Amino acid sequence: MSISIRRLTPHIGGEVTGVDIRKPLSAEDAAAIHDGMDEYAVLVFREQPMTGDQQLAFTEALGPIELSGGTNLKKPEEYRLPTTFADVSNLDINEKPMARDDRRRLFAIGNQLWHSDSSFKVTPAKYSLLHAISLPSKGGNTEFASMVAAWDSMDDDLKSECEGLVCEHSQMFSRQQIGFFDFTEEEKQRFKPVRQSLVRTNPKTGRKSIYLASHAGGIVGWPVPESRIFLRNLIEHATQRDFVYAHEWKIGDLVMWDNRQTMHRVRAFPAHEPRDMRRTTLAGEGPTAEQIAA
Ligand code: OGA
Ligand code: MN
């Protein structure tokens, strides 16, 4: 059976059938998935129970992976999963939900802000693949917004204002928005801002997208309040309901998204209920903007 993809919404999302992720991926199926990502930006694979090793093998069949170390407030000895995975669960190393006031949890709930994975790294992520292992009784949908639809629907004046702009991204900027300020000196060093182009072009399709994330805290050369208002307005435009696909999770789902052409966020869910989600990530192909010399 070969891969087929059913469109989920007019602008974003496709549901894939005809592939078993636990089996080695043929070159033909890998190419169909990459083409599907270019077209739909988010692909949903339902009913795919798999081990971590199988998720990793599937991810590596699509390209080189990005490692997850150093991107949250956990110390290396507190990691529940190897750094080949981003642990986006609410669990500690003993598989228990973190306390409501645990600063590692308060940092992690920043994922409820619209973002693009690793936009705070010099080379940001290409695709993310998220697998649902256990789910809360309610809430916890993940929403995805098309940054291609957002770009296409901007007027020409706004497009030309955005072209050539460079933003500074840091996880400190996104967390400051939710009132989280207590970073240690070590964390401030680790979360130093990086630069990203505000407009990106998909090298395969030539389509443009606006590259936004709550991690963006300023525009190079602009006053900070003006940058923040401008970015906030762009995010508001880019996340209008018509451009969004909301995924209602079932255990065993795998959802893959293209961070270059989407933003995503998780919705709230009860803090004391386990939500075990494991992410593998494909590395991006390079920086999107020149960095300032260290
Ligand atoms: C992520 C993320 C959202 C979720 O994996 O990068 O933001 O639904 N996850 O857990
Ligand atoms: Mn994310």
Side-chain angles (χ1 to χ4, degrees):
M1 188 174 161
S2 63
I3 284 188
S4 64
I5 305 178
R6 177 177 70 89
R7 179 173 286 287
L8 290 169
T9 78
H11 291 291
I12 180 169
E15 183 174 333
V16 181
T17 48
V19 63
D20 180 347
I21 286 175
R22 294 167 298 190
K23 305 226 169 90
L25 192 66
S26 67
E28 192 189 324
D29 284 355
I33 289 172
H34 284 296
D35 288 348
M37 288 296 280
D38 285 334
E39 183 164 352
Y40 300 96
V42 176
L43 292 179
V44 172
F45 304 75
R46 294 274 190 191
E47 291 178 64
Q48 296 279 352
M50 70 186 97
T51 64
D53 284 346
Q54 287 166 334
Q55 182 177 345
L56 198 53
F58 177 72
T59 308
E60 286 175 330
L62 294 169
I65 65 161
E66 180 190 283
L67 298 179
S68 75
T71 53
N72 58 45
L73 301 191
K74 288 185 178 164
K75 302 193 180 73
E77 64 275 18
E78 295 171 342
Y79 278 42
R80 198 175 61 98
L81 304 175
T83 54
T84 40
F85 290 81
D87 188 354
V88 290
S89 75
N90 60 344
L91 305 176
D92 65 17
I93 194 162
N94 300 312
E95 308 282 335
K96 295 274 178 298
M98 289 181 272
R100 191 165 182 194
D101 61 354
D102 187 316
R103 74 189 284 274
R104 298 168 304 179
R105 168 181 181 271
L106 297 176
F107 182 86
I109 62 173
N111 272 347
Q112 291 182 39
L113 298 170
W114 286 108
H115 66 281
S116 177
D117 290 335
S118 300
S119 76
F120 48 83
K121 292 185 178 178
V122 170
T123 294
K126 186 178 179 187
Y127 304 163
S128 294
L129 297 84
L130 191 61
H131 191 227
I133 310 284
S134 68
L135 293 170
S137 59
K138 60 181 177 192
N141 287 355
T142 309
E143 296 182 342
F144 300 91
S146 169
M147 295 304 105
V148 174
W151 174 262
D152 288 346
S153 60
M154 283 162 52
D155 67 34
D156 288 344
D157 284 350
L158 185 56
K159 283 180 179 168
S160 37
E161 199 174 5
C162 290
E163 290 275 14
L165 292 181
V166 172
C167 297
E168 302 220 298
H169 291 235
S170 163
Q171 292 196 93
M172 288 190 292
F173 296 141
S174 46
R175 272 55 187 185
Q176 284 163 3
Q177 289 183 43
I178 54 170
F180 187 110
F181 299 98
D182 74 329
F183 294 98
T184 64
E185 283 312 310
E186 182 277 323
E187 287 160 355
K188 286 181 191 161
Q189 281 306 310
R190 191 147 51 84
F191 298 141
K192 274 212 306 272
V194 304
R195 294 186 165 190
Q196 304 292 357
S197 295
L198 181 60
V199 182
R200 297 183 69 173
T201 305
N202 180 322
K204 246 169 76 197
T205 62
R207 295 194 75 182
K208 285 190 176 174
S209 55
I210 184 94
Y211 187 45
L212 294 167
S214 302
H215 307 310
I219 298 172
V220 176
W222 284 35
V224 170
E226 193 176 357
S227 316
R228 296 216 179 164
I229 293 283
F230 187 75
L231 291 167
R232 182 189 284 234
N233 286 337
L234 285 177
I235 289 180
E236 191 175 317
H237 164 76
T239 56
Q240 55 189 279
R241 289 323 287 182
D242 279 358
F243 301 161
V244 171
Y245 165 65
H247 187 70
E248 294 178 28
W249 290 96
K250 293 205 174 65
I251 288 173
D253 287 352
L254 181 94
V255 177
M256 173 158 71
W257 62 90
D258 184 345
N259 288 294
R260 302 167 308 175
Q261 13 166 13
T262 59
M263 278 198 290
H264 61 281
R265 66 172 177 181
V266 60
R267 306 316 309 270
F269 60 92
H272 59 280
E273 293 186 24
R275 181 174 185 271
D276 189 355
M277 310 291 287
R278 302 184 186 190
R279 194 184 92 205
T280 42
T281 312
L282 280 192
E285 273 139 33
T288 70
E290 218 174 289
Q291 305 300 310
I292 26 169

